[in-house]
Amino acid sequence: MSGSAHSTVLSGARVVLPTGTVAGGRVIVERDRIAGSAPEGAGIVDVSGHWIVPGFVDMHNHGGGGASFTSGTPEEVLRGVRTHREHGTTTLVASTVTGDLDELARRAALLAELTQQGEIAGVHFEGPFINPCRKGAHKADLLRDPDPAEVRKLVDAAHGTARMFTLATELPGGLDSVRLLAEHGVIAAIGHTDSTYDQTRQAIDAGATVATHLYNAMPGLEHRAPGPIAALLEDERVTVELINDGTHLHPAMLELAFRHAGAHRVALITDAMDAAGFGDGTYHLGPLEVEVKDGVARLVEGGSIAGSTLTLDTAFKRSVTVDRLPVESVVQAISANPAKLLGLYGEVGSLEPGKYADLVVLDAAFDLKGVMRRGEWIVNPLS
């Protein structure tokens, strides 16, 4: 089968459902949706010996395929989106980086159009309201304290498509900005922060619900100064993002997050930049030059890690084969949890009748073999 089909049955695989894994299961696709029963004459695709899992949902992604979501044309953004789709990400939020406010507003308007066309799932603003001492790959002279009026300007520029805003909530105006975002239905995420434990708790109480790439760009755990990590891990209201590429996190820290927060509070993300799915070389992340060597992206000036070159199929395989996490837990973290956070779980994030036919076919070694988005093969497992 290629392209979109009216009715297809994928049979024989281990199918991961919200209720558990069904061996020898099947997924029925009618047009762009998952169906509860198959009509006569439905085509059969035998995927015995494989896994079928929901399409991946990436809520933090700056680009891929040599294209940047932070500065590229609409055509370039779509090239990056297609690259990630080929690696199983059927739902993607495009992330910005720190820049001039007017330029960020223009970028939000461009990404809003692509959201309205159904190509991406919204906009994530990362910066400029972050802490200079935890800036990572953000341009220092463009950083500023959170100002609710300026936060509102960017949210408005996204025309209802703003999904998430990363802030250093300990800075002046931080808590008021969190409250404003919560009032407007935008996820307030704590990140690039030098917050204390108590300050982090105050931000959560004000409405922050996500930890932007937990552990990275924030103080580490200290026995007398637990900092933001302890507060974010312990609070049931918070989902923690993790970049599982083998560079950003030691496996023990990944295990700590899954064990302490639980799989229901983890979102696996890429934090990808242009080089994801493309290769080593010199790139730009916003206004900053980045050198990618052996798949690791670092700023040319200063050497800070500058996003990742990760794709979510690689994160999935690593989580199962290296970190030995249960497949069902990884599916929660890579599909269901981000879909729920983004308010999209009624349409994507699990293999249930009525939802979009967004799915990934993996072989027994957890290598990607097929990707379907809205009933259409992006990667055909039979080709």
Side-chain angles (χ1 to χ4, degrees), residues 280-310:
D280 288 359
T282 302
Y283 300 85
H284 282 85
L285 186 59
L288 299 176
E289 191 173 19
V290 176
E291 182 70 25
V292 178
K293 184 176 180 180
D294 298 326
V296 178
R298 293 186 180 276
L299 291 182
V300 170
E301 185 176 337
S304 291
I305 292 177
S308 85
T309 62
L310 184 64

Side-chain angles (χ1 to χ4, degrees), residues 1-11 26-35 42-47 51-57 81-92 118 313 335 347-352 355-362 368-383:
M1 185 185 83
S2 62
S4 58
H6 292 309
S7 186
T8 304
V9 179
L10 310 179
S11 68
R26 64 180 192 165
V27 177
I28 302 162
V29 177
E30 283 196 55
R31 299 186 185 274
D32 64 347
R33 301 278 175 170
I34 296 172
I44 306 294
V45 177
D46 185 358
V47 283
W51 293 81
I52 300 178
V53 300
F56 308 145
V57 180
V81 170
R82 283 194 295 271
T83 296
H84 284 283
R85 285 181 187 168
E86 290 167 359
H87 290 274
T89 298
T90 51
T91 301
L92 180 149
D313 58 332
S335 299
E347 298 280 9
V348 300
S350 67
L351 300 175
E352 296 178 271
K355 293 191 176 185
Y356 280 122
D358 290 1
L359 57 87
V360 177
V361 180
L362 304 167
L368 183 144
K369 295 299 178 183
V371 181
M372 177 180 283
R373 183 177 186 269
R374 300 192 177 183
E376 180 177 349
W377 287 117
I378 306 296
V379 178
N380 193 324
L382 300 182
S383 62

Side-chain angles (χ1 to χ4, degrees), residues 208-283:
T209 57
V210 166
T212 294
H213 42 55
L214 185 75
Y215 305 119
N216 300 116
M218 61 181 64
L221 284 164
E222 297 279 350
H223 63 293
R224 282 192 292 270
I229 294 171
L232 293 163
L233 280 177
E234 73 184 14
D235 199 302
E236 281 292 323
R237 294 170 290 183
V238 175
T239 298
V240 297
E241 294 182 346
L242 298 174
I243 309 170
N244 192 18
D245 60 354
T247 298
H248 279 78
L249 298 178
H250 189 282
M253 301 309 279
L254 182 94
E255 181 185 7
L256 176 69
F258 269 90
R259 184 183 298 273
H260 198 73
H264 66 290
R265 289 207 292 120
V266 171
L268 291 175
I269 61 161
T270 61
D271 194 16
M273 45 79 71
D274 313 19
F278 200 67
D280 288 359
T282 302
Y283 300 85

Side-chain angles (χ1 to χ4, degrees), residues 147-178:
D147 179 333
E150 293 178 340
V151 171
R152 176 68 185 270
K153 173 182 176 177
L154 294 180
V155 170
D156 287 347
H159 303 300
T161 68
R163 297 288 187 187
M164 186 163 68
F165 216 123
T166 293
L167 306 158
T169 54
E170 74 279 7
L171 296 175
L175 294 182
D176 285 340
S177 295
V178 168

Side-chain angles (χ1 to χ4, degrees), residues 4-155:
S4 58
H6 292 309
S7 186
T8 304
V9 179
L10 310 179
S11 68
R14 283 182 277 189
V15 180
V16 182
L17 303 173
T19 52
T21 299
V22 177
R26 64 180 192 165
V27 177
I28 302 162
V29 177
E30 283 196 55
R31 299 186 185 274
D32 64 347
R33 301 278 175 170
I34 296 172
S37 60
E40 286 189 33
I44 306 294
V45 177
D46 185 358
V47 283
S48 298
H50 291 65
W51 293 81
I52 300 178
V53 300
F56 308 145
V57 180
D58 193 353
M59 55 190 273
H60 187 156
N61 188 317
H62 299 278
S68 172
F69 301 154
T70 68
S71 59
T73 65
E75 293 73 24
E76 289 169 335
V77 172
L78 290 174
R79 185 169 83 241
V81 170
R82 283 194 295 271
T83 296
H84 284 283
R85 285 181 187 168
E86 290 167 359
H87 290 274
T89 298
T90 51
T91 301
L92 180 149
V93 172
S95 302
T96 66
V97 294
T98 291
D100 173 80
L101 280 181
D102 289 336
E103 175 54 35
L104 284 174
R106 288 190 290 271
R107 173 63 21 182
L110 182 152
L111 295 173
E113 287 189 26
L114 294 174
T115 304
Q116 289 154 4
Q117 294 166 16
E119 299 291 350
I120 61 176
V123 184
H124 163 219
F125 294 99
E126 188 177 17
F129 308 114
I130 60 175
N131 200 309
C133 72
R134 302 287 176 179
K135 68 181 186 303
H138 292 256
K139 200 165 188 301
D141 60 2
L142 293 173
L143 301 180
R144 53 214 293 148
D145 288 342
D147 179 333
E150 293 178 340
V151 171
R152 176 68 185 270
K153 173 182 176 177
L154 294 180
V155 170

